[in-house]
Amino acid sequence: MAARLLYMAAITSAAAIARRDSPSDDLLASCPGYTASNVVETASGLTADLTLAGEACNVYGTDLKDLTLEVSYDTDTRLHVKIQDAANNVYQVPESVFPRPQGQGSEEAKSALKFDYINSPFSFTVSRSNSGEVLFDTSAASLVFESQYLRLRTKLPENPSLYGLGEHSDPFMLNTTDYIRTFWSQDSYGVPEGANLYGNHPVYYEHRETGTHGVFFLNSNGMDVMINNTAESGQYLEYNTLGGVLDFYFVSGPSPIEVAKQYAEITGLPAMMPYWGFGFHNCRYGYQDVFDVAEVVYNYSQASIPLETMWTDIDYMYRRRVFSLDPDRFPIHKMRELVDYLHAHNQHYVVMVDPAVAYQDFPAAFQRGVDDNIFLLRENGSVWRGVVWPGVTAFPDWFSANISQYWNNEFATFFSAEDGVDIDALWIDMNEPSNFPCNFPCDNPDASAEGYPPEPPPVRSPPRALPGFSCDFQPEGTDCAKTEVRSLEIRDSTPRAHFDNLVLSPRQTEGEQKGLPDRNLLFPKYAIHNKAANADSWNAAEGGISNKTVNTDLIHQNGLAMYDTHNLYGSMMSLASHEAMLQRRPTVRPMIITRSTFAGAGTKVGHWLGDNLSKWDHYRLAIRSMMAFASVYQVPMVGADVCGFGDNTTGQLCSRWAGLGAFAPFYRVHNSLDSISQELYRWETTTKAAQKFIGIRYQLLDYMYTAMHAQAVDGTPMVNPLFYLYPQDKNTYALDLQYFLGPALLVAPVTEENSTSVDIYLPDDIFYDWYTHEEVVGEGTATTVTDQEWTDLPLYLRGGVIVPVRAESAMTTTELRTKPFEILVPVGKDGKASGSLYLDDGVSIEQAGTSEIQFEYADGVLTVDGTFGYKAEELRISRITVLGAGGKSGCKRAAKKEITIEVDQPLTEAFTVEVAKA
């Protein structure tokens, strides 16, 4: 109640605001827009001054009178348009967080895009140079550029096909009427539809019959993107932001895959992940102790389910405090023995790290942070305190001068290979940042921290034998020598409130994009539709944008305001953690899985899709969210918590999800403290599904790794919505329950509870049933596949794309790499097929040698060529299988025409095989 009273006091002291809950409101009708002058045109772009064209309207802030326009033809397919304040004071996304793409000095005459403008009131269009088709037209409404509000609207064609604007749980093809997408990172348990979620990717792709284009808005401020169709305004898309500048990148495509690749040139190419990262992972929140974790590892092996990586949630920490171990339940000697066991069995280990550091004397991470001056501070120089799992916490300032030194040291110490927890990858969470128990204004965190952390589970001795594990994991009375351990005495005490070395000096400077002075950083007048607030309207005068997160009036050490940088916090943590992991193991690729992301995050990290629920809706959601991150946002290492995180799963749902998850880039089972156990050996059907689909996944692992490598090299998506591969087929535009993994494998799961059939759309092409190799001729219609038990999932190979697979599966990816290859050749309509295979050692940043192998099939001959720099004795092809051999059949389901030959061919040099004559 006290926190509630404080919240209400803050409300009454805030200024009253003018509310605008819908885009049809006319509060901005009197805004005059701007007039262009001093236009200087060159072959590669133009510059101009923009001056307020009349009396200021000052609706949500103060209208800026003088702006500048800069237009550059960066490449032949990319156009950059930026409108900012002439004084260069308005905040812009720092280059340290989002490095700007390098232009290639293209010219308007060569560009696929054309920029045109009207002087007064100023507006501009972007169109296709070859056809004149308008892609973006801001004459739909006057430009508004205020101190705490920007508005830009573009016309759209009727019934547009739009994708992106994430992170969200809404349909993959976006709604186009009365639809609002809000960008403001929040801790989003249950990933609800119609809400802002953990991350922010202000990019959309629009697909038309004439081609696809992309629009990226580089702005990290809170914003609403409104999409609507009204009688007065027609179809439009409108940006409404709380600040920043209008910084747009347009890419021309014209194919969806080309748009994705061009977007990757802006954000940066995705990080290549380690080969083992594509194995199967298991976790849960709520393992009682290290024995519980070890027993899960043992149970998976006994169930013959390949477990590549074991994960541990915050249970391992002492009272939920980062950089600590619970000495009774997860003591260091047992943790090291667990990791040694996993490594000895070619398995891996990962734990979670949260950004917020417990405001406690133990562990010393807090005091070291004070010594290094790396925490977010109040105006009086005291540490700003919030509340997360351990109770009262401090939050790192990722812009502080010593943050790298601090974070690297914490990782080097706690995750030391010599005497710490030697993790193989990293999981970072709560980095929106979440301050969930402490409602705004969070000025009594001690009261809000009541009940945090929760009481730990009972301490126990190992309850039963665990064969293969050390003596420390065996029950009392076992005839073996246990490790002698000295008990660790922990002094639970709270540090003082003020520290002499934490002194703030004025840091806001003119002309350096630090943010305009005199803004109300807690109570903006425009209310974005942030669902962390008690009501949408509370995001203005009631301070809702600070609710359950860090207060937005905090100033970073470099002078930037949390008001502007909130949406970058997760990506900043990702950057620091990537560096820290590299410091630990400088020669191998870090794998980091994060919750909060911003555009460009894929260059360093992957993403799990957050705290979903064990619901069929969320099983279906896993498909469209994965497609969005992998194919639109350039974050390909992505997947949902298999079987659901919250609530209780069922044997049916978990069996289906075990199959679906096997065909996502990131494949991990994970669930919550208060849910039933759902390790995949818990039910007979989940065991069967896991064995079956992990087996298929592992056979396909090199194919997936090759697709990941292609995305890391040039942005070609490793997950493809159907319209990416069939852009002329209108029936594919809205499909979000089936997809292609890589260029060849069509994944079409059963998506309804208690159903044993599924309607699958097959474009006009040739496909082959994965299991039977039967040829299936797509006719651009849906076909019903029946008799699909809980352990079945329809898979099809696309004709014309060669797929290298391992001839058999294995229990670990290390063992898998010793297996020979089978080359599957699904013949296309033209009787030909082609494909590729990328090989390297799977982990190294600098490779001693790589192989990039090309396969071509025509007229009964398979030709293998390319580069063969990766050398390993086990690299061999043992079998070649041609599907659809013998020409066209014309039947919807043709009789199987298959040729299989056994070979023993090293994959170390070019060769040809005459399949038909062999």
Side-chain angles (χ1 to χ4, degrees), residues 391-629:
V392 178
T393 56
F395 291 80
D397 177 357
W398 303 112
F399 289 107
S400 60
N402 298 324
I403 190 63
S404 290
Q405 170 186 310
Y406 171 79
W407 206 243
N408 290 352
N409 179 66
E410 295 303 313
F411 273 60
T413 303
F414 188 72
F415 296 123
S416 166
E418 287 72 35
D419 54 16
V421 183
D422 189 18
I423 57 172
D424 301 291
L426 179 67
W427 179 20
I428 53 178
D429 189 19
M430 310 298 287
N431 51 355
E432 293 73 34
S434 177
N435 178 37
F436 69 94
C438 199
N439 288 334
F440 178 77
C442 194
D443 53 5
N444 189 357
D446 296 295
S448 297
E450 288 294 323
Y452 293 94
E455 286 300 312
V459 177
R460 62 175 180 170
S461 297
R464 54 197 153 267
L466 205 54
F469 281 81
S470 69
C471 187
D472 292 320
F473 287 84
Q474 308 309 323
E476 294 297 331
T478 304
D479 186 16
C480 60
K482 293 183 180 286
T483 304
E484 293 289 332
V485 180
R486 189 174 58 183
S487 62
L488 175 65
E489 290 188 15
I490 295 175
R491 182 169 60 94
D492 268 335
S493 56
T494 303
R496 62 184 187 273
H498 295 275
F499 300 88
D500 293 340
N501 65 309
L502 304 184
V503 178
L504 286 181
S505 56
R507 289 161 294 176
Q508 302 258 231
T509 50
E510 293 287 319
E512 295 184 4
Q513 303 174 3
K514 300 293 187 183
L516 290 170
D518 303 321
R519 292 180 295 164
N520 194 329
L521 299 177
L522 288 175
F523 308 108
K525 290 184 177 181
Y526 178 79
I528 61 172
H529 290 68
N530 163 42
K531 301 305 179 185
N534 290 18
D536 290 339
S537 61
W538 285 32
N539 285 294
E542 288 81 5
I545 59 173
S546 297
N547 201 37
K548 300 182 180 180
T549 189
V550 170
N551 287 2
T552 51
D553 64 340
L554 298 187
I555 305 298
H556 296 283
Q557 275 193 22
N558 67 347
L560 298 179
M562 182 62 76
Y563 176 92
D564 299 311
T565 65
H566 168 86
N567 284 342
L568 301 177
Y569 197 89
S571 279
M572 291 293 292
M573 183 185 185
S574 296
L575 289 167
S577 300
H578 187 270
E579 179 184 331
M581 290 295 283
L582 274 176
Q583 291 287 322
R584 290 179 62 245
R585 297 182 178 180
T587 63
V588 297
R589 302 169 188 147
M591 187 175 84
I592 301 168
I593 302 297
T594 185
R595 192 165 77 174
S596 183
T597 58
F598 185 73
T603 61
K604 296 293 188 291
V605 296
H607 173 60
W608 101 98
L609 294 165
D611 294 342
N612 62 354
L613 304 177
S614 296
K615 297 166 47 176
W616 285 89
D617 281 349
H618 284 201
Y619 167 86
R620 294 184 284 269
L621 171 63
I623 302 173
R624 62 182 185 265
S625 296
M626 173 196 63
M627 287 199 301
F629 270 88

Side-chain angles (χ1 to χ4, degrees), residues 604-883:
K604 296 293 188 291
V605 296
H607 173 60
W608 101 98
L609 294 165
D611 294 342
N612 62 354
L613 304 177
S614 296
K615 297 166 47 176
W616 285 89
D617 281 349
H618 284 201
Y619 167 86
R620 294 184 284 269
L621 171 63
I623 302 173
R624 62 182 185 265
S625 296
M626 173 196 63
M627 287 199 301
F629 270 88
S631 69
V632 179
Y633 311 140
Q634 288 293 345
V635 185
M637 195 61 168
V638 61
D641 282 345
V642 169
C643 301
F645 175 76
D647 299 342
N648 290 328
T649 193
T650 65
Q652 180 186 171
L653 177 59
C654 200
S655 298
R656 291 284 189 211
W657 215 327
L660 175 62
F663 303 101
F666 178 58
Y667 182 24
R668 185 187 69 174
V669 168
H670 178 47
N671 72 321
S672 182
L673 181 75
D674 51 359
S675 302
I676 63 172
S677 297
Q678 63 184 34
E679 291 85 7
L680 295 185
Y681 52 75
R682 296 287 177 177
W683 294 269
E684 183 179 345
T685 53
T686 55
T687 300
K688 181 179 177 182
Q691 292 169 340
K692 176 180 179 178
F693 292 114
I694 295 174
I696 295 173
R697 178 186 179 89
Y698 279 21
Q699 283 190 275
L700 287 162
L701 209 65
D702 292 86
Y703 163 78
M704 294 175 63
Y705 191 70
T706 298
M708 177 73 200
H709 176 256
Q711 190 154 1
V713 167
D714 68 8
T716 300
M718 73 172 294
V719 173
N720 289 287
L722 264 67
F723 86 89
Y724 274 39
L725 300 183
Y726 299 93
Q728 300 304 315
D729 186 344
K730 292 183 181 179
N731 296 324
T732 65
Y733 294 0
L735 295 179
D736 60 8
L737 293 177
Q738 57 186 82
Y739 60 96
F740 282 93
L741 179 60
L745 186 72
L746 177 62
V747 182
V750 174
T751 56
E752 297 293 335
E753 186 176 13
N754 298 324
S755 178
T756 56
S757 65
V758 59
D759 292 334
I760 300 172
Y761 182 80
L762 292 177
D764 182 9
D765 207 342
I766 291 179
F767 299 89
Y768 299 87
D769 187 295
W770 166 267
Y771 306 97
T772 67
H773 293 175
E774 179 184 32
E775 181 181 308
V776 183
V777 178
E779 298 178 343
T781 58
T783 183
T784 301
V785 178
T786 59
D787 300 323
Q788 297 296 299
E789 301 301 324
W790 296 359
T791 56
D792 295 326
L793 192 160
L795 300 170
Y796 296 91
L797 292 170
R798 179 175 167 231
V801 185
I802 293 175
V803 178
V805 299
R806 294 287 179 171
E808 58 182 298
S809 185
M811 288 296 288
T812 66
T813 62
T814 299
E815 180 190 0
L816 181 68
R817 291 173 66 86
T818 69
K819 305 297 182 183
F821 282 94
E822 177 182 3
I823 308 302
L824 294 178
V825 184
V827 176
K829 282 184 173 182
D830 58 0
K832 300 177 181 179
S834 62
S836 62
L837 175 64
Y838 173 77
L839 298 169
D840 64 15
D841 70 13
V843 294
S844 298
I845 295 173
E846 297 292 334
Q847 292 286 332
T850 65
S851 295
E852 297 191 50
I853 302 168
Q854 304 301 317
F855 301 92
E856 299 285 343
Y857 175 84
D859 301 322
V861 177
L862 177 67
T863 302
V864 181
D865 205 348
T867 61
F868 300 87
Y870 177 65
K871 307 295 183 183
E873 291 182 12
E874 59 270 14
L875 280 177
R876 310 186 77 77
I877 296 175
S878 63
R879 186 184 303 125
I880 299 170
T881 300
V882 180
L883 312 181

